[in-house]
Amino acid sequence: MSKPDLSVTAKLINGGVAGLVGVTCVFPIDLAKTRLQNQHGKDIYKGMIDCLMKTARAEGFLGMYRGAAVNLTLVTPEKAIKLAANDFFRQLLMEDGMQRNLKMEMLAGCGAGICQVVVTCPMEMLKIQLQDAGRLAVHHQGLASAPSSSRSYTTGSASAHKRPSASLISRELLRTQGLAGLYKGLGATLLRDIPFSIIYFPLFANLNNLGVTESTGKASFAHSFMSGCAAGSVAAVAVTPLDVLKTRIQTLKKGLGEDSYSGITDCARKLWIQEGPSALMKGAGCRALVIAPLFGIAQGVYFIGIGERILKCFK
């Protein structure tokens, strides 16, 4: 294996390890974010804590990890592609990859955001259906005593009472819509992830550079972690309106009275008219709490160089 290959492999391992650790830690908060973004008003959940408590009571502790298997399976290539692509574009656009150039850093982040959606879009498409299933079940139970003319959500031939699985959803989407079914909301995903990466990577690089020491030539783990947390929080909150639109568009099954959307513009218009501008910031706090440690861990692992250490064991 050549030296460049070794470097790329190490970066992929770092991204994968960071993704697995991060998702395991923050997944319940991500589930709360999805359910809060999908509900109209505050009929079921009043906030993140209320959502988590009701989920734990109704579905048990593991209910808070619905959809985690999809994330844990695909987060390794997703995070690996994101971090490695940003590194690649930085090296390509900025000579040695270390010289500070905000425009080139933003362009490198844009490239990373475009590359990652190959995995991110189908991963989140499946994850959202599994995460939202519990909310829809509660919604259905709430309507159980309603007149027979009032029906809960129905989409396709699948039963509303049947617990969905990633494989079942994937097969149904591929059978009925082909590969395009798994990439529903691709435009909204790009619209969220590109601005996120444009904000996150340059901000992190500049924050992290403040902690670089002359003796080691790199920042400490604590500084890299905090830089990742700070940059992740800022970027996450900034693109929350786009995340809300993506979540609504990618959700296949709807509760009674919940709209379907023909695209990004239609979703934004209906959301603004029916729920007001504040609805575009639903789940902002949850996103900050998810993304901050997720990217803090990612950058910490990346800068510690776990991938390099693992590869040394095989020499």
Side-chain angles (χ1 to χ4, degrees):
M1 181 182 288
S2 66
K3 196 167 184 178
D5 290 336
L6 185 66
S7 177
V8 171
T9 303
K11 289 170 186 175
L12 294 174
I13 293 173
N14 285 331
V17 169
L20 290 171
V21 174
V23 166
T24 302
C25 294
V26 301
F27 193 84
I29 303 175
D30 187 65
L31 178 137
K33 181 218 69 153
T34 298
R35 294 187 177 185
L36 289 171
Q37 287 181 340
N38 263 331
Q39 75 170 356
H40 290 215
K42 293 185 177 180
D43 293 339
I44 302 175
Y45 310 115
K46 295 179 176 64
M48 181 186 73
I49 301 298
D50 183 54
C51 178
L52 291 174
M53 289 178 64
K54 286 180 177 177
T55 299
R57 282 200 298 266
E59 304 168 53
F61 176 77
L62 293 180
M64 294 189 291
Y65 280 87
R66 273 196 179 189
V70 174
N71 253 37
L72 290 172
T73 301
L74 296 177
V75 75
T76 298
E78 190 229 14
K79 286 290 176 285
I81 289 170
K82 189 185 189 83
L83 294 173
N86 180 67
D87 241 29
F88 170 78
F89 286 117
R90 283 174 62 86
Q91 294 288 341
L92 184 67
L93 297 169
M94 294 165 34
E95 297 179 1
D96 61 356
M98 297 299 292
Q99 183 183 356
R100 299 269 77 81
N101 185 321
L102 184 59
K103 289 182 181 179
M104 291 299 103
E105 287 175 341
M106 293 175 72
L107 195 57
C110 177
I114 292 171
C115 290
Q116 78 168 77
V117 296
V118 174
V119 177
T120 303
C121 191
M123 177 182 77
E124 298 220 346
M125 179 70 182
L126 297 174
K127 181 196 73 171
I128 285 170
Q129 315 317 315
L130 299 173
Q131 286 181 326
D132 203 43
R135 181 189 70 88
L136 290 171
V138 173
H139 183 88
H140 175 77
Q141 289 170 6
L143 296 171
S145 59
S148 59
S149 58
S150 298
R151 303 294 298 275
S152 78
Y153 71 99
T154 53
T155 300
S157 59
S159 169
H161 303 284
K162 187 174 182 180
R163 177 171 291 189
S165 69
S167 58
L168 181 66
I169 296 168
S170 298
R171 285 197 302 269
E172 184 67 12
L173 285 171
L174 289 171
R175 184 182 67 81
T176 58
Q177 302 177 38
L179 192 60
L182 289 174
Y183 280 88
K184 182 180 180 181
L186 177 62
T189 305
L190 282 167
L191 200 60
R192 181 200 65 174
D193 288 351
I194 291 175
F196 177 91
S197 296
I198 288 174
I199 296 168
Y200 172 78
F201 282 112
L203 182 57
F204 168 77
N206 285 276
L207 288 174
N208 191 67
N209 191 54
L210 297 175
V212 174
T213 60
E214 292 183 5
S215 57
T216 62
K218 61 193 288 188
S220 66
F221 171 81
H223 190 88
S224 290
F225 179 84
M226 292 307 298
S227 296
C229 286
S233 294
V234 172
V237 173
V239 302
T240 293
L242 302 170
D243 186 61
V244 173
L245 297 179
K246 184 197 73 68
T247 300
R248 291 285 183 98
I249 290 168
Q250 287 189 318
T251 301
L252 297 176
K253 292 187 176 183
K254 307 290 184 180
L256 182 68
E258 295 180 354
D259 287 308
S260 294
Y261 309 102
S262 60
I264 298 169
T265 304
D266 180 55
C267 182
R269 182 180 60 82
K270 288 179 178 176
L271 200 64
W272 184 279
I273 293 171
Q274 296 172 7
E275 300 176 58
S278 62
L280 291 168
M281 293 304 293
K282 280 187 174 183
C286 292
R287 270 186 63 76
L289 290 174
V290 168
I291 299 297
L294 193 63
F295 278 85
I297 292 168
Q299 295 297 352
V301 168
Y302 201 67
F303 277 82
I304 285 174
I306 289 178
E308 289 83 351
R309 298 185 185 191
I310 290 175
L311 290 174
K312 281 181 182 177
C313 297
F314 292 93
K315 281 186 177 180

